[in-house]
Amino acid sequence: MQNFLFRRGRVIDPARGIDQVADVLVVDGRLMDIQPDLKIGMDWLANVHQFDMDGKWIVPGMLDMHVHLREPGEEYKETIASGTRAAVAGGYAGVACMPNTKPVNDTAAVTQFILEKARQEAACHVFPVAAISRGLQGEHLTEFGELRESGAVAVTDDGRPVMNSLLMRRALEYARIFDLLVISHAEDLALAEGGLMNEGPISTLLGLRGIPNAAEDAMVARDILLAELTGGRLHIAHVSTAGSVRLVRDAKKRGVPVTAETAPHYFTLTDSELLSFDAVFKVNPPLRSAEDRESVREGLADGTIDVIATDHAPHSLLEKDTEFEYAASGMIGLESALPLVLELVRCGVLDASKAISKVTCNPSKILGVPMGTLNPGKAVTLTVIDPKVDYILDCKSFESKSRNCPFHGRQVQGRVELTLVEGKIAYSRS
Ligand code: DOR
């Protein structure tokens, strides 16, 4: 039975300007009505699952536009099945998956493989993001038209920057023809060379080679100039520095077609975590200073940063539990993001509606995918959140195959209760 009645939920749908306590009726998996105090006949009620929401939030199914699903090729870290199970447990009804798989998603065949696998095994929507350059080698562009036609929603060489400025220019020009988004992993490899963490007093103290903010800022500046030159749609991935925030803010003011995302670890943690020498805190770009974290929060608050994505980057114990220098970069995030987003609401950085927009309508608009709002008459995709519940994050209970979670053991508030994807229960906590 796919009939649900959610009583007295706080319905937050930023795309439609809704933030009110209301009842939500779903019939045959379709959203029929959102209204305060819906009147429903007794005969009907027998056929409906009733949920007393008591102020719990009902939001459009969340979308994470930056996820590494690792399939094909590194299924020991994550698969399309396990990664999407982690997604729905974290409240996400859709994920965009990065192309640094093995093989790289640089052909229509790999994109189609991902979509076919997702059709068979995924717990939520999967939107493939294809590579900008063949094999992520930064030399030859991939076939954007074919990739678009086979279902890719954007292109990126994420995990690596496109160092060749001419190739990036051509990518932005070529992407325009197919209305593809170009996602920039902004890192100047020469400046970052050999770096293991943020460059600053803590890297000096630890004697670890640092990555300066300028490694990110220089490439953000370059890519903004190229977006301005070409008119191509540019999206800056995983913003971590004050400089990037400033550059994107100024570019937006000038009307450059640029958007940006950050991840919970950049607005929550700083490079002081590295004092533990624990490689769970090793990530690229690296955790930055407290000033950078503050700027990222300001960027979220004033709308410079449109999206909160997780950059869910699963790695096995083999790659993480080793000497810091040799450990892989990356953190999982799908099952810990929501309470950290809610922390921003509790400490007044964002109001509830703005926070929800950064995980629903903003990423769906940027990617151009049909999610992000509660559409009456359509198969319903929504997330139910209990914003009040206190608990300790325990990555041992996660659906993800990997355990590289920097928030393990953290006291948090707010949890996903239910994720509905296209009218069906994809995740239920009870
Ligand atoms: O830390 C990171 N890990 N940063 C990236 O850009 C890639 C990711 C990965 O694929 O592991």
Side-chain angles (χ1 to χ4, degrees):
M1 180 171 60
Q2 286 163 44
N3 302 333
F4 309 102
L5 176 60
F6 301 97
R7 285 284 193 204
R8 288 174 296 277
R10 179 175 171 190
V11 181
I12 306 174
D13 185 353
R16 298 170 66 208
I18 298 174
D19 183 353
Q20 65 171 146
V21 174
D23 299 342
V24 175
L25 178 65
V26 174
V27 176
D28 280 338
R30 285 175 192 279
L31 179 64
M32 295 312 284
D33 218 343
I34 303 177
Q35 263 188 52
D37 251 327
L38 258 180
K39 300 278 178 288
I40 293 174
M42 285 303 280
D43 47 336
W44 240 99
L45 278 178
N47 299 315
V48 174
H49 278 301
Q50 281 213 61
F51 298 91
D52 185 5
M53 293 283 97
D54 192 23
K56 285 178 191 158
W57 296 5
I58 300 172
V59 307
M62 287 158 44
L63 170 63
D64 187 348
M65 71 178 290
H66 195 138
V67 171
H68 297 270
L69 288 178
R70 304 296 191 213
E71 187 174 0
E74 290 182 309
E75 290 82 356
Y76 67 102
K77 297 183 182 189
E78 200 75 284
T79 60
I80 289 168
S82 69
T84 55
R85 277 201 310 275
V88 294
Y92 292 99
V95 295
C97 60
M98 294 296 123
N100 62 341
T101 46
K102 292 180 179 163
V104 169
N105 182 10
D106 57 3
T107 58
V110 179
T111 299
Q112 283 159 3
F113 166 84
I114 292 166
L115 284 172
E116 181 53 26
K117 218 44 203 327
R119 201 185 56 75
Q120 291 170 17
E121 296 176 7
C124 67
H125 293 291
V126 172
F127 302 107
V129 177
I132 291 174
S133 71
R134 273 190 251 154
L136 307 176
Q137 292 304 302
E139 285 165 16
H140 308 283
L141 290 181
T142 56
E143 296 290 350
F144 288 9
E146 273 176 36
L147 289 162
R148 174 58 134 180
E149 211 164 285
S150 59
V153 294
V155 288
T156 184
D157 274 2
D158 182 67
R160 297 176 57 79
V162 175
M163 281 305 291
N164 181 325
S165 304
L166 179 59
L167 196 79
M168 192 62 169
R169 173 190 179 162
R170 296 285 179 243
L172 284 157
E173 285 170 343
Y174 196 21
R176 256 193 93 165
I177 302 171
F178 305 103
D179 192 29
L180 270 172
L181 180 73
V182 177
I183 302 176
S184 164
H185 170 111
E187 178 185 10
D188 184 307
L189 287 180
L191 284 170
E193 168 100 59
L196 300 168
M197 64 172 292
N198 182 46
E199 181 177 303
I202 296 176
S203 65
T204 307
L205 186 74
L206 295 176
L208 292 177
R209 174 85 74 103
I211 302 170
N213 284 23
E216 178 171 320
D217 303 350
M219 291 298 262
V220 170
R222 181 203 72 173
D223 289 346
I224 285 170
L225 292 171
L226 293 176
E228 201 167 10
L229 176 68
T230 60
R233 285 196 296 132
L234 172 70
H235 178 78
I236 308 292
H238 40 58
V239 164
S240 75
T241 65
S244 293
V245 175
R246 202 170 50 239
L247 286 158
V248 173
R249 184 181 290 129
D250 292 350
K252 282 187 166 186
K253 272 195 201 130
R254 287 187 294 110
V256 181
V258 60
T259 53
E261 77 189 30
T262 191
H265 39 278
Y266 299 117
F267 61 71
T268 309
L269 306 175
T270 67
D271 58 355
S272 63
E273 302 288 350
L274 279 295
L275 289 165
S276 66
F277 256 106
D278 188 339
V280 79
F281 299 109
K282 187 174 175 187
V283 64
N284 189 25
L287 299 177
R288 302 283 187 186
S289 68
E291 293 76 42
D292 290 304
R293 179 178 60 179
E294 193 47 39
S295 294
V296 168
R297 287 171 171 228
E298 282 165 16
L300 283 164
D302 72 9
T304 300
I305 301 178
D306 310 83
V307 169
I308 298 172
T310 65
D311 197 0
H312 179 83
H315 290 295
S316 77
L317 215 58
L318 206 69
E319 286 109 5
K320 271 301 202 185
D321 200 10
T322 177
E323 292 95 321
F324 197 87
E325 187 179 346
Y326 302 111
S329 289
M331 304 167 161
I332 55 171
L334 284 167
E335 291 165 271
S336 55
L338 180 73
L340 301 166
V341 173
L342 297 179
E343 247 175 63
L344 293 178
V345 178
R346 266 204 319 285
C347 58
V349 175
L350 298 173
D351 64 30
S353 182
K354 258 197 191 162
I356 294 303
S357 72
K358 293 187 197 284
V359 289
T360 58
C361 53
N362 291 3
S364 47
K365 193 163 161 229
I366 290 166
L367 285 178
V369 299
M371 288 184 67
T373 188
L374 296 168
N375 268 328
K378 295 263 169 64
V380 69
T381 295
L382 61 76
T383 304
V384 175
I385 298 166
D386 180 347
K388 292 269 165 63
V389 60
D390 291 303
Y391 63 106
I392 290 175
L393 272 174
D394 177 6
C395 71
K396 292 198 289 299
S397 68
F398 284 179
E399 294 288 340
S400 171
K401 277 193 172 186
S402 290
R403 293 287 172 262
N404 52 315
C405 171
F407 300 106
H408 175 67
R410 187 183 178 93
Q411 178 77 45
V412 292
Q413 199 178 57
R415 179 158 67 190
V416 174
E417 294 275 299
L418 186 73
T419 308
L420 292 185
V421 180
E422 299 295 325
K424 299 202 179 79
I425 296 180
Y427 171 80
S428 172
R429 216 183 61 75
S430 50

